[in-house]
């Protein structure tokens, strides 16, 4: 079986996902095209250089609808003979794009791929696609559907995490993100987004709030308490599913949950022969990939079983992993991961995460793979694992190893 190598990783800065965000006037196709052009130019890709562009996106309606991957290729400077495949595994879409590409290469179905994703959350609202699991009563009732914020609070209740622990993780995410930006740790992957006249639109993650402290977070009310306890009363749904819980402890709010942002990212993946043909040096190999389904009500516990799954598949153990990127969808997701594997926080999200910098749903999986690779190189470590929880109860993971 062929090996799949990472040759490059690129991402946009993350813009605030609202009308006053710097990327609000940039469409999903145009932002994607910027990223694809950067991959092309940085690696000298001419002609029909890659087999496919696999592009993740969670809300596939309006400008993000159709086959956005193909639209992005046509909007970019890539050769029109390169096709495009749009995929959706919700928050893990960008990672799943990378994993699919890697496994295509390992299986001999092409030598090179560009994989990643995009989400313009300020332009295409989360949930605007009307997902059946949320809006079809026959399915929602059977699966005990609750919104993700309620699921995060169920995790906190089930595993005993406090508001103080969640807030402390949020503060630390902000501190680490600021330190990483101050130290130019993202410089290898970040590209500046410019308008059609070449003027700079955005060059840094603009969602960060580095002044955040425990006192400021302590003043915030729990964001999901009303929808849980009053109307529409999702706590009652949760307690029907988990009758051993007396009450849902609502600990999450904007300061310890991921931010709504716009962003895009891509990874260039290829075989050894692909690199040789284009004069490129591999930076890492994709050692293993995995995905799994989990309980759809508590929903966001996926990083734990998918990590167990990928460890078993690859014959590895947690002690073999030098660094972890666990998407900070909500603080309790990361707290549960560290609790389950007894992982020290100094190895997890060392440059901050989605609480500080935001979570552009379809892109985050590719972003954290790139961030992990950059940090492995910077800190001279060898093996890293990236993982995300996924809506409706799934998990995804990727293990990379420097070469």
């Amino acid at each position: 079986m062929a090996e799949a190598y990472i040759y490059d990783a690129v991402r946009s800065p993350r813009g605030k996902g609202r009308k006053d965000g710097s990327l609000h006037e940039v469409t999903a196709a145009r932002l994607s095209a910027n990223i694809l052009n950067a991959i092309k130019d940085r690696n000298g890709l001419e002609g029909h250089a890659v087999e496919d562009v696999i592009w993740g996106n969670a809300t596939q309606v309006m400008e993000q609808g159709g086959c956005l991957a193909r639209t992005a290729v046509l909007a970019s400077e890539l050769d029109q003979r390169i096709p495009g495949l749009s995929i959706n595994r919700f928050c893990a879409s960008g990672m799943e794009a990378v994993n699919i590409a890697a496994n295509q290469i390992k299986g001999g179905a092409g030598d090179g791929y560009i994989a990643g994703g995009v989400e313009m959350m300020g332009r295409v609202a989360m949930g605007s696609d009307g997902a059946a699991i949320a809006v079809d009563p026959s399915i929602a009732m059977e699966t005990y559907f609750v919104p993700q914020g309620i699921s995060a609070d169920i995790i906190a209740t089930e595993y005993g995490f406090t508001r103080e622990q969640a807030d402390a993780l949020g503060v630390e995410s902000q501190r680490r993100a600021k330190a990483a930006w101050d130290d130019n740790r993202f410089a290898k992957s970040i590209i500046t987004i410019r308008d059609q006249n070449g003027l700079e639109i955005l060059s840094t993650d603009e969602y960060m709030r580095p002044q955040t402290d425990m006192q400021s977070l302590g003043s915030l009310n729990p964001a999901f308490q009303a929808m849980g306890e009053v109307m529409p009363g999702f706590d009652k749904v949760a307690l029907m599913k988990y009758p051993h819980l007396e009450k849902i402890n609502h600990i999450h709010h904007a300061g310890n949950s991921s931010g709504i942002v716009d962003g895009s990212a891509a990874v260039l993946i290829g075989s050894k022969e692909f690199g040789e043909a284009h004069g490129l040096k591999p930076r890492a190999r994709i050692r293993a990939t995995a995905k799994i389904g989990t309980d759809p009500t508590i929903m966001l516990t996926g990083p734990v079983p998918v990590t167990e799954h990928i460890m078993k598949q690859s014959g590895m153990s947690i002690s073999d992993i030098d660094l972890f990127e666990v998407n900070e969808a909500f603080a309790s997701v990361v707290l549960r991961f560290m609790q389950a594997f007894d992982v020290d926080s100094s190895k997890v999200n060392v440059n901050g995460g989605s609480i500080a910098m935001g979570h552009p749903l379809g892109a985050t999986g590719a972003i954290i793979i790139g961030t992990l690779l950059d940090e492995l190189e910077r800190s001279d470590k060898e093996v890293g694992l990236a993982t995300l929880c996924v809506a409706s109860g799934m998990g995804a993971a990727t293990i990379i190893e420097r070469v």
Side-chain angles (χ1 to χ4, degrees):
M1 181 182 292
E3 294 278 10
Y5 296 96
I6 297 177
Y7 287 94
D8 199 9
V10 172
R11 77 167 175 94
S12 74
R14 284 171 271 199
K16 297 175 184 176
R18 57 196 198 202
K19 289 184 178 180
D20 64 344
S22 295
L23 297 179
H24 187 69
E25 298 303 318
V26 183
T27 66
R30 287 298 172 191
L31 187 61
S32 300
N34 269 268
I35 299 302
L36 296 179
N37 287 341
I39 288 283
K40 174 184 180 294
D41 294 342
R42 285 163 51 129
N43 298 282
L45 302 181
E46 299 297 335
H48 196 172
V50 296
E51 185 76 15
D52 206 352
V53 170
I54 306 178
W55 214 236
N57 177 240
T59 309
Q60 297 186 351
V61 293
M62 297 181 286
E63 69 179 58
Q64 294 183 166
C67 184
L68 179 57
R70 177 57 176 165
T71 304
V73 170
L74 295 176
S76 76
E77 297 170 2
L78 290 176
D79 192 295
Q80 67 178 3
R81 290 173 293 178
I82 298 171
L85 170 65
S86 289
I87 66 160
N88 187 353
R89 199 186 291 282
F90 298 122
C91 303
S93 297
M95 174 175 285
E96 192 61 33
V98 171
N99 291 353
I100 289 172
N103 290 316
Q104 289 283 91
I105 292 165
K106 291 181 179 183
D111 282 330
Y113 286 79
I114 301 172
V118 67
E119 204 78 36
M120 303 303 292
M121 301 182 74
R123 295 178 60 88
V124 183
M126 180 171 56
S128 59
D129 52 348
I133 193 169
V135 302
D136 184 331
S138 66
I139 299 173
M141 292 176 68
E142 288 179 2
T143 58
Y144 293 89
F145 170 81
V146 298
Q148 290 186 27
I150 300 293
S151 296
D153 287 337
I154 296 172
I155 293 174
T157 307
E158 177 69 39
Y159 295 102
F161 303 127
T162 65
R163 167 73 180 261
E164 289 72 25
Q165 287 175 294
D167 284 0
L169 192 146
V171 170
E172 183 64 7
S173 180
Q174 297 283 355
R175 188 195 69 77
R176 292 182 180 189
K178 182 181 186 303
W181 270 103
D182 289 346
D183 198 31
N184 291 319
R185 295 185 188 180
F186 302 125
K188 188 176 288 187
S189 295
I190 286 276
I191 65 165
T192 297
I193 302 302
R194 302 181 183 277
D195 66 16
Q196 59 187 6
N197 298 313
L199 299 176
E200 180 179 313
I201 298 175
L202 187 63
S203 60
T204 61
D205 292 323
E206 68 176 352
Y207 182 80
M208 295 190 303
R209 298 179 176 89
Q211 73 280 6
T212 298
D213 57 23
M214 291 294 287
Q215 183 177 358
S216 62
L217 294 190
S219 67
L220 299 177
N221 293 323
F224 309 104
Q225 187 167 2
M227 71 168 64
E229 296 179 354
V230 188
M231 286 297 292
F234 283 110
D235 282 9
K236 292 184 178 179
V237 177
L239 295 174
M240 288 172 62
K241 180 72 175 283
Y242 312 111
H244 64 284
L245 300 178
E246 295 182 3
K247 184 178 185 296
I248 305 302
N249 182 22
H250 293 285
I251 70 168
H252 289 93
H253 50 74
N256 58 30
S257 307
S258 57
I260 294 174
V261 296
D262 304 323
S264 183
V267 179
L268 178 62
I269 309 157
S271 64
K272 179 181 178 182
E273 292 75 17
F274 173 84
E276 291 172 347
H278 295 279
L280 302 174
K281 182 179 179 181
R283 296 172 62 189
R285 72 182 178 105
I286 296 180
R287 185 161 172 174
T289 69
K291 59 273 186 186
I292 204 163
T294 63
D295 181 337
T297 308
I298 200 169
M299 193 188 308
L300 307 176
T301 55
V304 173
V306 80
T307 297
E308 294 170 339
H309 186 43
I310 201 170
M311 291 297 160
K312 184 177 180 180
Q313 281 186 323
S314 60
M316 301 176 69
S317 66
I318 284 292
S319 62
D320 295 322
I321 307 298
D322 297 313
L323 292 172
F324 299 86
E325 282 288 325
V326 183
N327 185 42
E328 295 175 352
F330 297 90
S332 64
V333 174
V334 183
L335 291 169
R336 173 56 187 151
F337 183 91
M338 293 190 293
Q339 178 192 64
F341 297 109
D342 193 24
V343 175
D344 191 273
S345 63
S346 65
K347 293 184 176 183
V348 181
N349 302 342
V350 299
N351 293 315
S354 293
I355 290 175
M357 294 174 283
H359 175 22
L361 307 177
T364 302
I367 290 174
I368 65 174
I369 289 172
T371 298
L372 181 61
L373 175 56
D374 287 347
E375 182 58 25
L376 286 171
E377 292 175 340
R378 189 194 72 83
S379 59
D380 196 25
K381 293 182 168 61
E382 298 299 321
V383 182
L385 180 145
T387 184
L388 304 93
C389 61
V390 186
S392 76
M394 293 185 282
T398 307
I399 296 175
I400 64 173
E401 181 179 22
R402 286 177 61 205
V403 294

